[in-house]
Amino acid sequence: MRVVVIGGRGHIGSFLVPRLVRAGHEVISISRGQRASYVDDPAWTQVRQATADRVAEDRDGTFPSRVADLQPDVVIDLICFTLDSAAALVDGLRGRTGHLLHCGSVWRHGPSLKLPITEDNGAPPLGKYGTAKAAVADLLKAETRGGGLVTTSLHPGHIVGPGWHPIGPLGNVDPAIWTKLSAGQPLDIPGIGTELMHHVHADDVAQGFVAAVDHRDAAAGEDFTIVAPAALTVRGYAQIAASWFGRAADLRTVTWDEFRASTSEELSQSSWEHLSRSQYLSIDKARTLIGYAPQYEPEAAILASVRWLIDHGQLDLPRPLTV
């Protein structure tokens, strides 16, 4: 099949596009520029590259026709963030392609009320980003169930892997946290340390998309959570991470007010956004309907990120990894 991947050079696309090529598909990758993918793979030599500024072309109303004119059998949209953009693409592809897959987010659910969170029992979303992702998922389900375009939405957790900083044990990307853990220095944690975060390796997200393409009938009109098999608490995450450097985590509980007083507004807000949600999500639906089988436990996925950052000089730590 001819598969168009919108945002093919990003975190997920770096793993997804080669997977699609190896599965025998003809792949066209649409991206804003010609930057290299996050991981090298010889499969990229078989990929047709197309350049487009999604934001500008959405504003002009030309992006959906650009995609449809490529005559795809499948479209995988990894960079849609607004309901208007999603609705325009659905309108432009209706009757012109066989399957549209959308990348959502677990933040379409709000703070946890019942664990694990399934596709159907999550709390209402908070904030502009999560609200938009929830609205797009609802739009796509209604489109398919109304007899229109066949659609599927997949909702990853906190994506990690080679090439970028992971969401760390405190729910932000502060590199100083890794310095403290690797050096055995005290680390202040807000709350009580039992808050949950649910990560996923980018390659497992890619696997989920390929599985949905392969199981089109089962995936039609459905939404799937795509995360690691387990979630990590703040304390568990910090303790595991410190052990990678031969250390034991020295954790000190502080109030949120104390934490905010010692942390920048941007980092403390990120921590609050992640930890106040305290999400642990079920992958039973994805396992059952499309055969999703994640290969990475959350700590292994995070370690892949940290190792890459160290190896590429983007994380300078006082002690080397011992794993």
Side-chain angles (χ1 to χ4, degrees):
M1 292 189 294
R2 177 177 292 176
V3 182
V4 170
V5 181
I6 304 170
R9 289 285 188 175
H11 297 158
I12 301 169
S14 293
F15 292 92
L16 172 59
V17 168
R19 276 184 172 268
L20 291 167
V21 171
R22 288 192 289 270
H25 299 292
E26 175 190 355
V27 182
I28 302 172
S29 172
I30 299 178
S31 56
R32 186 170 58 183
Q34 294 301 316
R35 65 170 302 279
S37 61
Y38 282 78
V39 290
D40 294 328
D41 195 298
W44 281 99
T45 61
Q46 303 177 53
V47 178
R48 176 179 164 190
Q49 302 290 336
T51 302
D53 185 332
R54 171 76 173 272
V55 175
E57 294 190 19
D58 266 346
R59 186 168 54 246
D60 296 339
T62 58
F63 187 72
S65 60
R66 171 192 282 276
V67 177
D69 288 346
L70 295 172
Q71 299 181 313
D73 299 299
V74 176
V75 174
I76 300 177
D77 189 356
L78 301 177
I79 54 169
C80 178
F81 303 105
T82 69
L83 182 60
D84 288 345
S85 181
L89 188 61
V90 167
D91 288 343
L93 295 179
R94 190 182 296 117
R96 300 184 68 183
T97 194
H99 193 185
L100 169 64
L101 297 95
H102 165 82
C103 185
S105 168
V106 295
W107 278 16
R108 68 172 175 145
H109 304 299
S112 61
L113 299 176
K114 181 179 181 179
L115 300 175
I117 300 169
T118 70
E119 287 79 359
D120 300 319
N121 72 358
L126 298 176
K128 182 177 180 180
Y129 176 78
T131 300
K133 287 297 188 181
V136 172
D138 290 342
L139 166 77
L140 296 178
K141 291 173 74 171
E143 169 70 18
T144 302
R145 294 176 183 181
L149 179 65
V150 173
T151 68
T152 305
S153 62
L154 282 77
H155 299 270
H158 310 313
I159 300 172
V160 289
W164 63 98
H165 281 266
I167 297 297
L170 299 189
N172 61 41
V173 294
D174 185 1
I177 293 170
W178 298 102
T179 298
K180 291 181 178 180
L181 289 172
S182 64
Q185 298 172 354
L187 180 67
D188 290 344
I189 58 172
I192 60 175
T194 59
E195 297 83 0
L196 291 156
M197 288 173 283
H198 213 151
H199 294 74
V200 62
H201 196 291
D203 191 42
D204 279 335
V205 181
Q207 179 215 140
F209 274 99
V210 174
V213 170
D214 290 344
H215 297 84
R216 176 183 180 274
D217 291 345
E222 299 292 349
D223 51 353
F224 298 100
T225 299
I226 303 295
V227 290
L232 294 173
T233 65
V234 171
R235 287 187 179 277
Y237 186 171
Q239 289 167 358
I240 291 169
S243 75
W244 297 338
F245 304 93
R247 299 289 194 181
D250 181 5
L251 305 178
R252 302 189 306 194
T253 299
V254 298
T255 68
W256 274 99
D257 285 343
E258 290 170 329
F259 180 73
R260 290 189 177 98
S262 63
T263 309
S264 73
E265 181 178 355
E266 180 181 1
L267 291 173
S268 62
Q269 183 60 28
S270 175
S271 294
W272 175 256
E273 293 283 353
H274 286 88
L275 303 187
S276 66
R277 283 173 168 82
S278 192
Q279 293 180 333
Y280 164 51
L281 301 108
S282 170
I283 55 174
D284 286 350
K285 181 179 178 181
R287 277 175 162 159
T288 301
L289 293 187
I290 61 174
Y292 173 59
Q295 300 301 299
Y296 290 86
E297 289 290 335
E299 60 268 33
I302 296 162
L303 178 58
S305 284
V306 174
R307 190 184 303 280
W308 188 96
L309 292 169
I310 293 171
D311 290 346
H312 289 77
Q314 296 189 30
L315 195 57
D316 185 16
L317 301 178
R319 189 178 178 93
L321 288 167
T322 60
V323 293

